[in-house]
């Protein structure tokens, strides 16, 4: 038992430890070249992937642009980076690199008497939300069957994102692209509220009384927060890009980076909005749509999504009428049907809890409880991508363009899934983890929102909603 | 604080053990079933095959367009189906649950999504599915119990 309590106290200490108090970590993130050094290799890899998409084989699983982006990167992002490290992807993301360097007129150092380049405009007030990200994500999701199977489409989209990011950053100030436009950033931000790491200030009072606020305005060694955040009021991970500019700026060493329990930010009411609520439903509904289309036994649904296809690997104006139905499914389920259902459940909750809050207020608050389940549904969706198709990643490592190279001798490793009969059990286990945290977080919300003796009753519609969603996913995997 | 995660863990362990016992229990019911499947870009027709545990299943496979593969998770089946031929595969459905049928030969852009379901029932029931729902109930109720009182 001694060892058990030893382990517990070890974890206890680890969980309350400020990672920035580790000298190596601190020195690393304080260094001006840190972000540059992690972005550049990534940028080179992305350029390579884009090139492969343009000049390599049109066969998706024989082209490294598809295997690296939609198998390896996707899995690492959704199953490791996002749940455990919040927006850490944004630390190393190559998409805004060029724009940021141009905007700063510098890749590493902060020049003396620095002024931002470009037009440096303020982002329009009306667009100060993630609706553009929601729409952008839905647009990409609408042709995902093309995106994740055609190297050239992936290449065009990646190159396009770099181009748009660069232009936006030359017109608007700071990381406007990341915060308001990037279709990936939208869901990373939402899910990072669940993740087990947080960047916060140590002493909020100190921030309040500190007039200079170098974390916002910048200092000799820092450009200041490029994400329009003020670390002193940071209560959620959603829009902290973990760039560590604030750490470099703060003269009082008042920034900390902590491990913490999962899902903490979901119960924070400050910053919640309908734009984010809809993001939850977009992600929840799309997880279902994707598992049904890409991993389900229903060939006819797959046919609907398979637009513009000319056998064997060509492009043609074909399958458009079916595709319209698929579009209806993608946009209808994400924007109307699932949120509509949740709204009906919210009316039930209002009625049962006898609360003064409106049904739409409850809708907004409780939508966040679905974040853990939604994230886990995406992870469950992603498990077979790696466990079944890992060979394609290894093959394309040796033959990135599908030209018959065999650089590392791994080109001909035979496609064979690893323990595939376990996949449904892994998927169900992951869903159960999501259910646990969703219900836990939701119950905390209910106890805060409703009167004590009505909390469970008022909460029951949301419990039912969560169970129904979980049953649906478990049925897809196991039923 | 640490009570809940460990409870969760025990639940999952028990849940896995029950299924393992079910799966290892002797096979009853026998008989043979012939299943015809058409393979085409990017589907199996029918996409869902349901059999009983212990049955001998004879798959008669035919491709309607290009060369496809026929792979069943957990059953060690992996064969090539060329257009114009009928491939016969015989297996005994010895483990219950849902297993994906996959195309194992690159056959077009959506090839990685060419999947079907092979469902093996245990005495007419999909035991792993039922046990999953049981586990869902347990896991879902845990957070509520914790905060009572
Ligand atoms: S608070 Fe701002 S400066 Fe600090 S890491 Fe987050 S985004 Fe960067
Ligand atoms: Cu095929």
């Amino acid at each position: 038992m001694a060892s058990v309590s030893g382990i517990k106290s070890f974890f206890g200490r680890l969980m309350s430890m400020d990672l920035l108090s580790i000298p190596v970590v601190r020195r690393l993130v304080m260094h001006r070249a840190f972000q540059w050094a992690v972005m550049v290799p990534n940028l080179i890899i992305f350029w390579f992937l884009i090139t492969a998409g343009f000049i390599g084989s049109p066969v998706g699983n024989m082209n490294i642009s598809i295997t690296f982006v939609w198998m390896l990167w996707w899995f690492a992002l959704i199953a490791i980076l996002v749940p455990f490290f919040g927006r850490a992807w944004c630390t190393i993301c190559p998409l805004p690199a060029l724009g940021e360097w141009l905007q700063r007129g510098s890749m590493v150092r902060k020049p003396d008497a620095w002024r931002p380049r470009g037009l440096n405009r303020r982002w329009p007030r009306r667009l100060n939300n993630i609706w553009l990200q929601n729409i952008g994500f839905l647009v990409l999701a609408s042709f995902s069957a093309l995106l994740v199977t055609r190297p050239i489409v992936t290449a065009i989209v990646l190159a396009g994102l770099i181009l748009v990011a660069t232009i936006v950053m030359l017109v608007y100030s700071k990381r406007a692209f990341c915060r308001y436009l990037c279709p990936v950033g939208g869901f990373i931000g939402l899910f990072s509220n669940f993740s087990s790491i947080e960047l916060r200030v140590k002493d909020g009072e100190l921030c309040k009384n500190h007039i200079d606020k170098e974390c916002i305005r910048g200092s000799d060694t820092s450009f200041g927060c490029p994400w329009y955040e003020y670390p002193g009021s940071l209560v959620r991970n959603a829009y902290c890009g973990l760039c560590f500019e604030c750490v470099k700026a703060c003269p009082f060493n008042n920034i900390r980076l902590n491990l913490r329990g999962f899902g903490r930010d979901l119960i924070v009411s400050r910053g919640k909005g309908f734009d984010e609520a809809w993001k939850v439903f977009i992600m929840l509904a799309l997880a279902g749509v994707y598992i049904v289309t890409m991993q389900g036994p229903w060939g006819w649904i797959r046919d609907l999504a398979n637009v513009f296809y000319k056998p064997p690997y060509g492009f043609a104006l074909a399958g458009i009428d079916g595709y319209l139905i698929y579009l209806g499914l993608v946009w209808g389920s994400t924007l109307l049907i699932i949120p509509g259902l949740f709204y009906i459940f919210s009316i039930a909750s209002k009625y049962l809890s006898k609360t003064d809050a409106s049904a739409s207020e409850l809708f907004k608050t409780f939508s966040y409880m679905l974040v853990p389940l939604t994230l886990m549904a995406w992870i469950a969706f992603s498990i077979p991508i790696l466990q079944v198709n890992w060979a394609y990643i290894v093959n394309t490592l040796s033959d990135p363009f599908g030209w018959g190279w065999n650089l590392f001798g791994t080109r001909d490793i035979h496609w064979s899934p690893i323990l595939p009969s376990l996949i449904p059990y892994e998927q169900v286990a992951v869903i159960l983890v999501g259910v646990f945290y969703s219900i836990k977080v939701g119950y905390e919300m209910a106890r805060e929102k409703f009167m004590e003796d009505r909390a469970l009753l008022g909460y029951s519609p949301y419990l039912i909603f969560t169970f129904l969603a979980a049953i649906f996913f478990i049925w897809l995997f196991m039923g | 604080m640490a009570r809940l995660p460990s409870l969760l863990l025990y639940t999952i362990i028990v849940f896995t053990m029950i299924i393992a016992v079910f799966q290892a229990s002797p096979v009853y019911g026998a008989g043979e079933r012939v299943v015809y499947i058409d393979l085409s870009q990017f589907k199996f027709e029918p996409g869902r095959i349901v059999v009983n545990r212990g049955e001998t299943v004879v798959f008669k496979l035919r491709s309607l367009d290009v060369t496809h593969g026929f792979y069943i998770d957990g059953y060690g089946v992996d064969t090539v189906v060329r257009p114009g031929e009928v491939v016969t595969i015989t297996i005994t459905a010895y483990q219950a649950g849902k297993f994906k049928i996959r195309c194992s030969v690159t056959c077009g852009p959506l090839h990685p999504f060419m999947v079907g379901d092979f469902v093996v029932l245990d005495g007419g029931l999909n035991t792993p599915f039922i046990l999953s729902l049981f586990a869902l109930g347990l896991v879902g109720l845990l957070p509520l119990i914790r905060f009572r009182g």
Side-chain angles (χ1 to χ4, degrees):
Chain A
M1 282 325 266
S3 65
V4 172
S5 65
I7 290 169
K8 270 183 193 164
S9 78
F10 170 76
F11 276 110
R13 249 179 299 150
L14 191 71
M15 291 305 275
S16 57
M17 186 170 70
D18 174 9
L19 298 178
L20 296 178
S21 67
I22 305 169
V24 199
V25 178
R26 193 175 163 77
R27 274 190 56 190
L28 203 67
V29 302
M30 287 289 281
H31 202 291
R32 274 247 54 98
F34 169 68
Q35 199 171 18
W36 176 86
V38 287
M39 271 174 160
V40 166
N42 225 356
L43 192 60
I44 293 169
I45 293 170
F46 263 65
W47 277 338
F48 179 71
L49 296 178
I50 290 171
T51 311
F54 279 120
I55 67 171
S57 164
V59 184
N61 47 293
M62 290 168 71
N63 190 310
I64 197 165
S65 65
I66 294 293
T67 62
F68 263 50
V69 174
W70 300 118
M71 296 178 186
L72 195 60
W73 171 79
W74 175 258
F75 184 86
L77 178 73
I78 202 77
I80 300 163
L81 283 179
V82 166
F84 295 106
F85 304 103
R87 289 198 87 131
W89 167 255
C90 299
T91 314
I92 60 179
C93 178
L95 299 180
L98 201 62
E100 187 159 75
W101 294 337
L102 288 172
Q103 195 186 57
R104 288 177 175 174
S106 160
M107 291 206 282
V108 175
R109 233 174 50 82
K110 185 172 183 192
D112 304 326
W114 176 79
R115 298 213 59 215
R117 312 282 172 91
L119 300 180
N120 202 32
R121 292 216 185 121
R122 275 186 75 104
W123 184 254
R125 256 226 141 90
R126 265 183 324 133
L127 299 176
N128 189 0
N129 52 55
I130 63 165
W131 274 111
L132 287 178
Q133 287 177 326
N134 288 348
I135 302 302
F137 187 79
L138 277 175
V139 169
L140 286 187
S142 297
F143 61 97
S144 57
L146 285 169
L147 181 61
V148 304
T149 58
R150 312 304 205 274
I152 187 131
V153 179
T154 288
I156 291 171
V157 167
L158 289 181
L161 284 174
I162 291 184
L163 188 72
V164 173
T166 310
I167 293 170
V168 169
M169 291 176 89
L170 285 175
V171 175
Y172 296 101
S173 72
K174 303 182 180 178
R175 289 255 191 154
F177 172 80
C178 303
R179 172 126 192 197
Y180 300 113
L181 276 175
C182 175
V184 184
F187 72 82
I188 300 186
L190 181 76
F191 288 149
S192 70
N193 288 324
F194 173 80
S195 72
S196 59
I197 207 164
E198 65 181 17
L199 182 139
R200 301 287 187 269
V201 295
K202 295 174 190 163
D203 177 1
E205 281 304 304
L206 180 58
C207 289
K208 255 186 230 157
N209 297 323
H210 177 214
I211 299 170
D212 288 337
K213 296 208 178 14
E214 283 95 334
C215 57
I216 303 175
R217 298 179 27 224
S219 69
D220 290 351
T221 53
S222 164
F223 290 96
C225 181
W227 286 78
Y228 308 98
E229 287 289 332
Y230 161 45
S233 66
L234 212 53
V235 281
R236 302 191 310 155
N237 284 349
Y239 307 113
C240 170
L242 294 175
C243 64
F244 302 110
E245 286 296 329
C246 54
V247 182
K248 296 178 178 79
C250 181
F252 304 109
N253 184 11
N254 196 25
I255 309 281
R256 62 181 173 86
L257 182 70
N258 274 93
L259 297 182
R260 58 147 198 210
F262 291 109
R264 289 277 180 77
D265 297 349
L266 298 172
I267 46 178
V268 174
S269 41
R270 178 146 40 113
K272 279 187 178 177
F274 286 106
D275 54 337
E276 291 184 343
W278 248 274
K279 181 90 228 174
V280 181
F281 296 113
I282 289 172
M283 297 311 290
L284 179 65
L286 267 187
V289 171
Y290 277 12
I291 294 166
V292 165
T293 358
M294 299 184 193
Q295 297 172 357
W298 305 282
W300 61 275
I301 301 181
R302 209 144 34 237
D303 284 343
L304 297 180
N306 188 21
V307 71
F308 301 144
Y309 176 51
K310 184 171 134 236
Y313 289 98
F315 178 92
L317 286 177
I320 294 173
D321 34 348
Y323 182 61
L324 291 178
I325 301 176
Y326 181 72
L327 280 186
L329 185 69
V330 167
W331 291 73
S333 64
T334 53
L335 295 181
L336 292 174
I337 300 171
I338 302 297
L341 268 176
F342 198 73
Y343 187 72
I344 294 172
F345 280 71
S346 298
I347 295 173
S349 169
K350 175 176 168 52
Y351 176 76
L352 289 169
S353 65
K354 299 204 161 81
T355 173
D356 294 336
S358 66
S360 53
E361 174 69 29
L362 296 180
F363 171 94
K364 188 174 76 183
T365 303
F366 282 95
S367 63
Y368 288 80
M369 74 172 278
L370 297 171
V371 167
L373 178 60
T374 303
L375 173 60
M376 292 304 151
W378 277 93
I379 294 177
F381 163 75
S382 308
I383 287 172
I385 293 178
L386 213 59
Q387 206 166 331
V388 171
N389 291 325
W390 62 273
Y392 296 144
I393 303 173
V394 179
N395 296 159
T396 50
L397 200 61
S398 275
D399 186 14
F401 305 114
W403 287 347
W405 297 0
N406 201 353
L407 297 176
F408 307 103
T410 56
R411 182 193 64 199
D412 299 318
I413 288 182
H414 187 60
W415 176 89
S416 78
I418 300 169
L419 298 174
S421 54
L422 291 185
I423 293 174
Y425 298 94
E426 298 164 23
Q427 291 174 313
V428 169
V430 165
I431 290 291
L432 294 184
V433 171
V435 167
F436 175 81
Y437 280 105
S438 278
I439 290 183
K440 178 172 181 275
V441 164
Y443 196 37
E444 282 177 52
M445 294 169 183
R447 281 153 44 96
E448 197 192 290
K449 267 265 167 327
F450 304 140
M451 279 184 324
E452 184 142 17
D453 54 329
R454 289 262 158 188
L456 200 54
L457 201 58
Y459 183 39
S460 57
Y462 295 117
L463 264 180
I464 294 169
F465 189 95
T466 308
F467 272 112
L468 288 179
I471 290 170
F472 174 70
F473 285 117
I474 291 174
W475 171 73
L476 286 179
F477 299 136
M478 239 4 157
Chain B
M1 188 60 208
R3 216 173 67 229
L4 268 177
S6 44
L7 248 169
L8 192 68
L9 199 67
Y10 294 142
T11 315
I12 289 166
I13 291 170
V14 170
F15 155 63
T16 319
M17 272 166 31
I18 297 173
I19 289 166
V21 169
F22 261 90
Q23 300 257 12
S25 64
V27 166
Y28 51 86
E32 194 180 276
R33 187 191 293 252
V34 181
V35 178
Y36 294 87
I37 302 182
D38 284 342
L39 291 75
S40 64
Q41 286 175 327
F42 299 94
K43 54 179 172 281
F44 299 92
E45 264 319 316
R48 184 178 167 94
I49 315 295
V50 183
V51 305
N52 285 309
R53 197 152 81 99
E55 274 182 335
T56 301
V57 185
V58 181
F59 290 106
K60 300 266 186 192
L61 311 169
R62 181 172 72 148
S63 165
L64 303 184
D65 42 36
V66 296
T67 302
H68 293 282
F70 186 82
Y71 177 100
I72 306 180
D73 285 1
Y75 272 92
V77 172
D78 189 0
T79 188
V80 176
V81 184
R82 291 181 188 82
E85 60 180 27
V86 175
V87 178
T88 306
I89 296 274
T90 306
I91 62 164
T92 303
Y94 62 94
Q95 43 181 346
K98 175 150 107 176
F99 304 88
K100 287 284 173 197
I101 301 170
R102 303 179 194 277
C103 177
S104 53
V105 174
T106 302
C107 62
L110 268 61
H111 151 69
F113 308 146
M114 183 167 161
V115 288
D117 286 346
F118 178 54
V119 181
V120 182
L121 302 178
D122 218 340
L125 297 174
N126 183 344
T127 38
F129 179 49
I130 294 167
L131 287 165
S132 302
L133 295 180
F134 177 66
L136 169 68
L138 278 182
V139 170
L141 295 176
L142 273 181
L144 302 180
I145 296 161
R146 182 193 168 187
F147 289 109
R148 294 274 299 268

